[in-house]
């Protein structure tokens, strides 16, 4: 059984931090690979839900960051999920090109193993 909520009313229940942001995890919808973590504010979330193209909030630039705007490595929204506390967003996306600004498939390429930290993927270009 599912319950439909009004999107505007639901957004008012999101646990935004003191800066008006919430962490957003991007995951490839078909392979379930975790791609990246970024931040969203109400405007970027609203744009993502309306346009279907993922938009984040850049904390360093203090501006909307439309994923792939300059690189062409876009994320098309397939589904948006909220955790039980509504303090984290999970974006199921269709990623075009590398997700990481380092040109790697995802941003999680440092892996701790028994003998230390290893780089487990190389840039695609």
């Amino acid at each position: 059984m599912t319950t439909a909520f009004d999107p505007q009313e639901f957004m008012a229940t999101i646990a935004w931090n003191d800066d008006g942001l919430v962490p957003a995890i991007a995951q490839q919808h078909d392979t379930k690979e975790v791609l990246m973590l970024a931040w969203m504010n109400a405007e970027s979330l609203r744009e993502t839900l309306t346009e279907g193209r993922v938009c984040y909030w850049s904390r360093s630039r203090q501006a909307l960051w439309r994923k792939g705007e300059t690189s062409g490595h876009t994320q098309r929204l397939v589904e948006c999920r909220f955790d039980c506390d509504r303090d984290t967003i999970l974006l199921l996306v269709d990623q075009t090109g590398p997700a990481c600004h380092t040109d790697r498939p995802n941003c999680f390429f440092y892996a701790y193993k028994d003998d230390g930290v290893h780089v487990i993927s190389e840039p695609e270009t």
Side-chain angles (χ1 to χ4, degrees):
M1 180 172 101
T2 62
T3 303
F5 295 92
D6 176 75
Q8 292 303 324
E9 289 178 20
F10 191 81
M11 282 189 58
T13 71
I14 293 174
W16 308 100
N17 70 13
D18 292 341
D19 295 322
L21 303 173
V22 65
I25 301 164
Q27 181 180 41
Q28 179 63 30
H29 74 100
D30 51 357
T31 65
K32 306 304 182 204
E33 177 183 12
V34 175
L35 302 173
M36 58 182 280
L37 171 92
W39 294 88
M40 297 181 102
N41 65 7
E43 184 179 0
S44 65
L45 177 57
R46 195 174 297 109
E47 181 175 315
T48 296
L49 297 175
T50 303
E51 303 295 325
R53 179 177 171 189
V54 178
C55 177
Y56 299 106
W57 177 256
S58 170
R59 294 178 301 163
S60 60
R61 292 184 301 237
Q62 293 291 295
L64 292 175
W65 164 35
R66 293 166 184 90
K67 182 69 174 145
E69 197 167 45
T70 55
S71 68
H73 303 156
T74 60
Q75 292 177 343
R76 180 183 61 81
L77 181 67
V78 174
E79 186 175 350
C80 181
R81 298 181 183 179
F82 304 87
D83 77 332
C84 57
D85 297 319
R86 283 171 260 148
D87 63 0
T88 304
I89 295 173
L90 176 63
L91 302 169
L92 301 179
V93 302
D94 187 17
Q95 174 72 43
T96 300
C100 186
H101 73 278
T102 65
D103 282 332
R104 289 176 169 84
N106 67 64
C107 295
F108 299 96
F109 55 86
Y110 292 111
Y112 177 80
K113 299 182 181 186
D114 292 336
D115 61 343
V117 178
H118 299 262
V119 174
I120 58 172
S121 72
E122 296 300 322
E124 291 185 1
T125 57

